[in-house]
Amino acid sequence: MIVATKAIVFSALKYSEADLIVCCFTETAGIKTYLLRNVLKSKKGALKPSLFQPLTQLEVVANHKNKGSLEYLKEAKIFHPYKTLHTDNIKTGLVMFLSEMLKNCIKEEEANVDLYNYITSTLNWLDENDEVANFHIFFLLKLSAHLGFYPDASEIQHQYFNLVEGNFQSSDAYAPCIKDEAVEGLKLFFDIKLNEIGQIKLSKKTRLESLNLLLTYYKFHVHGYQHPKSLSVLIQL
């Protein structure tokens, strides 16, 4: 079936000498993986490797057979050109990390327009703004709502965070729980808007601990979760 849809690139892996395997999150069909033959060597082809940088927003025309195999991409063009996302060093590190996390967490081959719009709107904000030190924590916390395991903050005044139940409690009676600066740092990201994240002042140490707490929470709730390899690059920025 020939379809035209918007798509976000999650990854592009070299396959054999000249091919790419590209994983995209499409607006109309969820996750789709495409085999792009000879794209790395062909100078005349319409599909250029530069189109498939992580988190690029595309408009594509594709043949979806929907049989669980690699699909065929006929056409692709940039839908939303970025200004800084692939040139700013800090944002490039964030893009590597977030694209890996998104590929890790989103597996469904079905439309999820709310999730698609959340990802694109936050990426567009990241592209346009400079105070982005807290962006990845905000992004992952709000992403968990779309994935079905957003923490219950109704008793956020308590010190312990239950990694399994995803709530705050007064004791560690129901393990595994965490109580430290990472929990207090994470609490600051509830009930704020994206354009307010620059108001959150965290030390680099606390920010990293809060991020690791959130990643541990993801580990408990994402089937087949894999620790992001790009985290080490992000930490160095």
Side-chain angles (χ1 to χ4, degrees):
M1 178 174 61
I2 303 298
V3 300
T5 181
K6 289 185 287 184
I8 308 166
V9 178
F10 280 1
S11 68
L13 300 176
K14 184 178 179 181
Y15 178 72
S16 71
E17 289 298 318
D19 302 342
L20 279 179
I21 294 179
V22 177
C23 176
C24 293
F25 182 53
T26 67
E27 184 180 38
T28 61
I31 291 292
K32 288 294 179 183
T33 304
Y34 303 99
L35 176 60
L36 279 56
R37 293 198 177 277
N38 208 38
V39 68
L40 297 177
K41 288 188 175 181
S42 175
K43 295 181 180 180
K44 297 181 180 179
L47 299 175
K48 305 298 184 184
S50 58
L51 290 171
F52 305 103
Q53 296 183 71
L55 302 185
T56 299
Q57 296 179 45
L58 300 173
E59 283 184 312
V60 303
V61 177
N63 185 3
H64 289 172
K65 296 182 179 179
N66 299 318
K67 294 183 178 180
S69 57
L70 296 175
E71 308 284 16
Y72 176 67
L73 193 62
K74 299 183 66 176
E75 301 174 20
K77 63 180 180 180
I78 299 292
F79 173 73
H80 181 90
Y82 293 132
K83 299 176 182 177
T84 64
L85 227 57
H86 292 139
T87 55
D88 180 279
N89 287 337
I90 293 176
K91 293 182 182 181
T92 299
L94 285 169
V95 165
M96 291 174 58
F97 171 72
L98 295 175
S99 61
E100 188 177 0
M101 284 297 296
L102 286 166
K103 185 181 179 184
N104 195 355
C105 297
I106 301 174
K107 307 293 184 183
E108 293 76 15
E109 292 190 24
E110 57 186 30
N112 187 334
V113 176
D114 286 343
L115 175 56
Y116 188 92
N117 290 340
Y118 168 72
I119 297 171
T120 55
S121 63
T122 50
L123 290 179
N124 294 346
W125 185 95
L126 177 62
D127 186 49
E128 295 284 348
N129 289 270
D130 296 325
E131 292 191 24
V132 300
N134 296 318
F135 179 85
H136 48 322
I137 298 177
F138 178 93
F139 181 91
L140 291 178
L141 179 62
K142 304 305 180 184
L143 177 65
S144 70
H146 293 274
L147 299 177
F149 53 90
Y150 188 74
D152 177 3
S154 59
E155 298 187 12
I156 199 171
Q157 73 276 9
H158 294 314
Q159 294 179 312
Y160 290 90
F161 181 67
N162 188 316
L163 289 164
V164 174
E165 299 299 329
N167 59 16
F168 296 90
Q169 52 194 51
S170 58
S171 72
D172 60 353
Y174 304 100
C177 293
I178 293 180
K179 171 194 172 185
D180 56 20
E181 288 186 11
V183 176
E184 297 307 310
L186 183 62
K187 287 180 179 182
L188 299 176
F189 290 87
F190 289 84
D191 296 325
I192 68 164
K193 297 178 180 179
L194 182 54
N195 59 10
E196 298 172 334
I197 61 173
Q199 300 173 20
I200 297 177
K201 305 302 179 183
L202 296 174
S203 67
K204 186 173 182 179
K205 176 176 178 291
T206 301
R207 184 180 296 111
L208 177 58
E209 290 174 348
S210 295
L211 174 61
N212 282 327
L213 167 61
L214 199 49
L215 293 179
T216 303
Y217 181 58
Y218 265 68
K219 182 178 179 180
F220 276 90
H221 294 274
V222 173
H223 179 71
Y225 175 86
Q226 296 180 358
H227 189 70
K229 297 178 181 179
S230 54
L231 179 60
S232 59
V233 176
L234 185 64
I235 291 172
Q236 294 174 8
L237 296 175

